Amino acid sequence: MSVKPALPLKERMKHAIADETLIAAVKKTTDRLEGGKLSSSEALGNWEEWRKQGSRIRSHVVEHLDYYLGQLIENVKKRGGHVHIADSAKEAVDIFLRITREKNAKSVIKSKSMVSEEVHVNKALEDIGVEVIESDLGEYIIQLFGEAPSHIIVPAIHKNRYQIKDKFNEISGENLTEDTPTLTAFARRQLRKAFLQADIGVSGCNFAIAETGSIVMFTNEGNGRMVTTLPPVHVAFMGMERLIPSFEDLETFVNLLPRSATGQKITTYVSVINGARQEGDLDGAQEFHLIIVDNGRSKILGDEEFQEVLNCIRCGACLNVCPVYRHIGGHAYGDVYPGPIGAVLTPLLRDDMETWGDLPYASSLCGACTEACPVRIPLHDMLVRHRARYVKLGLAPKWEQMAFKAWSKTFARPGRYKLSMKAARLMVPFMARDGFIEKGPLNMMGWTHARHFPSPAKQSFREQWSKLSGELKGGGDHE
Amino acid sequence: MNKEQALLQRIANRLGRTEPLKEKPKRDAIGAPDFWREFKLSEEEKIQRFCESWRALTGVAEVVDSEAEALEVLKRWAQEENLKHLIRWDHPELENLGVDSLFESLGAKMEIWGRGETRSMKEIANDAEAGITWADYAVADTGTLALFSSREKARSVSLLPPIHIAIFRAEQLVTRIGEVMVKMDQMGREGGLPAGVNFITGPSRSADIENDLSIGVHGPKKVYALIIK
């Protein structure tokens, strides 16, 4: 599906940087999550061993995805579940709309699912007049504002309590105060009715267990349990790679994911759904549908440079440590997945380097994301690989191509190099002050409008060296 | 070729195979890291660790030596919370413990999931002030309850009322969550997995509004655990 962001990356970033509330909220949240992660992973101990184990299990699954996915499909069906394959976002939506029509559903209640965000289910439902309600507190809030999530784990971090209070009062005509318990209680009251009345409950799937045909959700609020327990039909959206072989393997991810995401030892609820309710059961969905979504994922398989990105368990840890994400927040990334993982994943899933190929430039390449990743995906290497492809495809700006060509020509020859350095030093007195260039020419402006650039030394290293080596040769008496 | 086969074929091709793999692939990384599997606590340590972890999340935990003492604790909780309307699992352990007559003597109404009224059980659970369950397992390391669903052991009872009270015996405690996971694999192989397994660690929580922790968003606001030795 060719989806294009409304504005180019640089414009999106400018918008984000101008939003003081957003910057403060993102900083506070990422600090809290990162701090929690560090202390809880330290308390667990042997964090590197856990990461290695997580990475090995995930890599094994991705390398044998045909086997495990086949096994999962077979076992979901054995339990009476319905399996649907969606090659694209459009197909995923069409499948869901078909289920909605077959069930004559009037209202759909959702718990958080990144994949359903990825394929844009809500808009399609609204278009056919079906009420769709997000039940995760953060998602509920941003749905009322008509906005998109800005963080994988905490979708409404860019909204403050006063904005939330005003919105709640606006929709209900009540006169609520802005304290958290009041706001939370309001959402609880509003949504409880919706849980009990909805025709279809939609959930995501943190992991699917191939051997048993189960889906597993890690949640905190209880809405994930509500949407799978109360409505008569449960539809789960799953990215086709989100598998692990058996429950035994789940122990590793129960320890890795919540710590990496929020710093919790474990989420409040780890819910395992083994298909629809069984004979005699008086609650739980009567019908279970699993929509397995490809939407660009299979193209990543077999791509040596990027296959490992499919190991991702969507914890958001890379966002919290990324200096770029921390400055611009999630919306500037322009698509569903923000931060370093988004910068790697979006161009691949969208399979459109022309539109999304600039995202990998929204990174300082400091490697903090790779360090934070609980399944050891080499994110910053992937960002570099993306940039290389971008340049090879001829998508880098013309001036940049020319500049780098000139740069490589100059630096390949000692004579030209020396000459250029001399020329640069000749320019210094016109631009530098106190050893720093505060306003650079041409493309250097991108750097110097936010930081100072150190001016070249008065004497080059080579010049100093020839002087020094002369002294060394001539004056052994210093020894 | 249907869509499922086509997807598996596409994946196989991308992975350099001519057709989808049918043989279970060999692997050496299974489950938790080796050192973690050796982690074992004694029963006394398990009780202590469970209570610490449960209380760290605002849960109330008490340990008693006998059924009679258990009823005393339940009575105290019921009075503190002023419970008048409850629902419980239709579980023989709860029956034998005598919780029904206890709450009756306190003037509270006790409903039993799946019995009695024709009105929807979900509505009854939604109206109840507290739900009582008998945990299948409890995990000491994280302070987690494991509840397996069935006709008598409804998911709604631990979910819809604002208070959840779980009772279990000390011998149902395991050290790590992986011990329950292995049992679930076993149940899966024997065809005995229930429709829903819920691991519950503390009350419902959220930090979606300005990072401010709030309790009881959709699930229970208060959680009680009663361990009988």
Side-chain angles (χ1 to χ4, degrees):
Chain A
M1 198 161 72
S2 93
V3 174
K4 296 206 187 306
L7 294 165
L9 176 66
K10 273 194 179 158
E11 291 300 315
R12 301 199 302 269
M13 284 185 167
K14 272 184 197 159
H15 268 269
I17 290 170
D19 188 341
E20 298 286 340
T21 322
L22 174 79
I23 292 173
V26 170
K27 185 179 182 314
K28 192 173 158 192
T29 306
T30 48
D31 278 348
R32 173 178 70 86
L33 296 176
E34 171 62 0
K37 183 208 161 174
L38 290 176
S39 55
S40 70
S41 53
E42 199 177 306
L44 176 68
N46 291 302
W47 188 243
E48 286 311 305
E49 286 305 309
W50 284 104
R51 287 178 80 206
K52 272 184 207 154
Q53 186 75 356
S55 162
R56 284 160 78 198
I57 294 172
R58 289 291 300 144
S59 288
H60 172 81
V61 168
V62 171
E63 282 156 22
H64 302 91
L65 196 57
D66 46 351
Y67 175 80
Y68 288 110
L69 203 50
Q71 194 187 21
L72 176 83
I73 291 169
E74 196 185 313
N75 286 320
V76 171
K77 286 183 180 171
K78 260 191 209 160
R79 296 191 171 279
H82 304 269
V83 177
H84 310 267
I85 306 294
D87 294 342
S88 64
K90 187 182 177 303
E91 279 187 16
V93 172
D94 289 345
I95 290 163
F96 188 72
L97 293 184
R98 204 172 62 231
I99 298 170
T100 312
R101 283 197 199 95
E102 274 169 18
K103 298 294 145 201
N104 200 18
K106 299 277 173 283
S107 80
V108 170
I109 190 144
K110 293 175 68 202
S111 67
K112 200 155 68 183
S113 149
M114 294 303 287
V115 176
S116 74
E117 281 288 333
E118 179 186 321
V119 302
H120 301 292
V121 172
N122 293 16
K123 170 108 191 18
L125 286 171
E126 283 158 12
D127 288 348
I128 60 162
V130 175
E131 182 188 36
V132 52
I133 304 166
E134 293 288 348
S135 63
D136 172 87
L137 180 57
E139 298 261 353
Y140 174 68
I141 291 167
I142 55 171
Q143 189 187 25
L144 293 179
F145 281 94
E147 292 180 14
S150 60
H151 190 284
I152 293 181
I153 304 297
V154 205
I157 54 172
H158 58 290
K159 290 282 168 229
N160 69 40
R161 61 177 68 251
Y162 300 95
Q163 295 168 311
I164 296 166
K165 175 206 69 174
D166 290 344
K167 183 55 84 177
F168 282 6
N169 286 336
E170 181 192 317
I171 59 157
S172 66
E174 292 191 38
N175 193 16
L176 304 170
T177 52
E178 69 281 353
D179 60 303
T180 314
T182 303
L183 297 173
T184 304
F186 173 78
R188 183 182 171 106
R189 284 199 303 279
Q190 290 290 309
L191 289 165
R192 186 57 73 98
K193 283 177 251 164
F195 287 125
L196 288 159
Q197 285 163 6
D199 302 304
I200 299 180
V202 170
S203 78
C205 163
N206 285 96
F207 297 101
I209 312 287
E211 204 189 297
T212 54
S214 316
I215 69 158
V216 183
M217 294 185 303
F218 289 26
T219 62
N220 278 318
E221 296 182 2
N223 59 320
R225 291 189 61 194
M226 293 281 184
V227 306
T228 58
T229 303
L230 299 172
V233 178
H234 170 204
V235 181
F237 282 88
M238 168 192 158
M240 69 170 204
E241 79 286 11
R242 300 305 294 274
L243 281 158
I244 49 176
S246 63
F247 281 116
E248 196 177 358
D249 300 300
L250 188 58
E251 184 174 15
T252 289
F253 299 98
V254 162
N255 278 292
L256 279 173
L257 198 155
R259 282 184 172 87
S260 301
T262 56
Q264 288 169 271
K265 265 167 107 170
I266 184 170
T267 47
T268 304
Y269 304 111
V270 174
S271 304
V272 179
I273 312 285
N274 302 306
R277 71 167 70 167
Q278 292 175 3
E279 216 184 316
D281 285 0
L282 300 173
D283 67 0
Q286 289 151 12
E287 213 176 294
F288 173 66
H289 295 261
L290 180 64
I291 304 180
I292 300 173
V293 179
D294 181 334
N295 199 30
R297 288 164 172 77
S298 56
K299 287 208 193 81
I300 307 174
L301 283 171
D303 181 336
E304 277 180 19
E305 291 190 322
F306 291 103
Q307 180 169 305
E308 258 184 287
V309 80
L310 294 173
N311 291 4
C312 173
I313 57 173
R314 306 283 192 269
C315 66
C318 59
L319 279 58
N320 301 329
V321 297
C322 175
V324 177
Y325 175 86
R326 289 166 60 97
H327 274 86
I328 63 176
H331 289 157
Y333 290 83
D335 205 8
V336 186
Y337 303 102
I341 184 65
V344 172
L345 201 54
T346 305
L348 295 168
L349 289 182
R350 296 290 184 200
D351 195 23
D352 178 359
M353 282 298 270
E354 206 170 322
T355 311
W356 300 101
D358 55 358
L359 272 184
Y361 288 84
S363 161
S364 63
L365 298 183
C366 61
C369 47
T370 302
E371 194 65 29
C373 178
V375 290
R376 294 163 45 109
I377 300 169
L379 286 162
H380 72 294
D381 290 338
M382 289 181 177
L383 289 165
V384 175
R385 289 168 199 159
H386 263 320
R387 292 185 188 188
R389 284 191 186 179
Y390 192 70
V391 171
K392 267 192 203 130
L393 286 167
L395 293 168
K398 276 279 164 298
W399 67 261
E400 192 183 295
Q401 293 178 34
M402 282 161 64
F404 274 96
K405 244 179 215 154
W407 186 82
S408 68
K409 271 188 182 164
T410 315
F411 278 57
R413 298 273 180 85
R416 287 179 185 166
Y417 173 79
K418 271 186 202 164
L419 197 68
S420 71
M421 285 296 113
K422 253 185 198 154
R425 278 198 301 280
L426 279 173
M427 295 295 290
V428 166
F430 300 103
M431 295 189 296
R433 209 190 295 161
D434 300 329
F436 285 98
I437 299 170
E438 290 178 18
K439 208 170 177 192
L442 301 172
N443 51 321
M444 224 171 109
M445 271 171 76
W447 178 285
T448 52
H449 96 272
R451 286 153 287 206
H452 295 167
F453 192 87
S455 68
K458 288 211 174 66
Q459 256 190 335
S460 76
F461 174 75
R462 281 169 178 280
E463 284 166 355
Q464 288 182 38
W465 182 249
S466 49
K467 209 173 148 195
L468 274 171
S469 67
E471 278 176 22
L472 283 172
K473 271 181 206 154
D477 49 329
H478 285 298
E479 285 282 327
Chain B
M1 194 186 285
N2 66 25
K3 288 215 78 150
E4 290 159 21
Q5 290 164 334
L7 175 66
L8 298 181
Q9 184 63 47
R10 186 160 75 235
I11 293 171
N13 291 346
R14 296 286 320 183
L15 290 168
R17 284 187 268 278
T18 50
E19 55 179 53
L21 198 61
K22 292 276 183 306
E23 286 275 303
K24 189 174 182 170
K26 283 206 172 59
R27 60 185 184 125
D28 43 15
I30 301 174
D34 290 338
F35 71 87
W36 186 248
R37 294 163 195 244
E38 289 157 21
F39 175 33
K40 272 255 174 277
L41 298 171
S42 70
E43 185 162 297
E44 214 32 65
E45 288 169 326
K46 278 189 279 189
I47 293 172
Q48 207 182 343
R49 180 72 70 96
F50 177 89
C51 291
E52 276 168 21
S53 308
W54 188 254
R55 287 173 188 147
L57 296 166
T58 75
V60 178
E62 291 217 25
V63 187
V64 295
D65 288 318
S66 68
E67 273 80 0
E69 268 184 64
L71 289 176
E72 282 303 310
V73 172
L74 282 176
K75 186 177 167 185
R76 176 154 43 84
W77 288 349
Q79 285 166 342
E80 280 167 10
E81 295 286 354
N82 192 23
L83 298 178
K84 291 283 170 248
H85 184 195
L86 301 93
I87 186 164
R88 70 163 173 89
W89 274 6
D90 189 358
H91 195 287
E93 290 273 19
L94 294 173
E95 188 109 44
N96 297 340
L97 192 62
V99 292
D100 299 338
S101 48
L102 169 77
F103 282 97
E104 199 184 318
S105 73
L106 295 169
K109 187 173 180 192
M110 172 68 81
E111 311 252 14
I112 302 168
W113 179 269
R115 288 202 215 163
E117 304 220 17
T118 49
R119 193 156 68 93
S120 145
M121 287 313 298
K122 280 184 240 179
E123 281 172 37
I124 298 174
N126 192 47
D127 291 340
E129 294 152 3
I132 304 183
T133 62
W134 186 277
D136 292 273
Y137 297 98
V139 183
D141 171 44
T142 46
T144 300
L145 307 168
L147 306 185
F148 289 14
S149 76
S150 71
R151 179 192 169 83
E152 295 79 20
K153 294 154 57 184
R155 288 170 260 190
S156 300
V157 173
S158 62
L159 177 65
L160 296 176
I163 294 173
H164 175 206
I165 300 170
I167 312 173
F168 57 92
R169 288 182 202 285
E171 68 224 37
Q172 288 167 271
L173 273 164
V174 296
T175 304
R176 335 169 338 250
I177 202 167
E179 295 170 60
V180 184
M181 304 285 179
V182 170
K183 289 181 208 288
M184 288 165 69
D185 279 327
Q186 197 56 40
M187 291 169 90
R189 280 163 210 148
E190 290 162 1
L193 261 186
V197 177
N198 280 291
F199 293 93
I200 299 172
T201 312
S204 152
R205 61 195 269 144
S206 172
D208 276 342
I209 298 174
E210 288 192 12
N211 294 289
D212 193 7
L213 178 66
S214 60
I215 298 291
V217 192
H218 299 300
K221 303 169 187 188
K222 276 194 164 175
V223 291
Y224 288 84
L226 180 51
I227 307 169
I228 306 173
K229 276 202 204 175

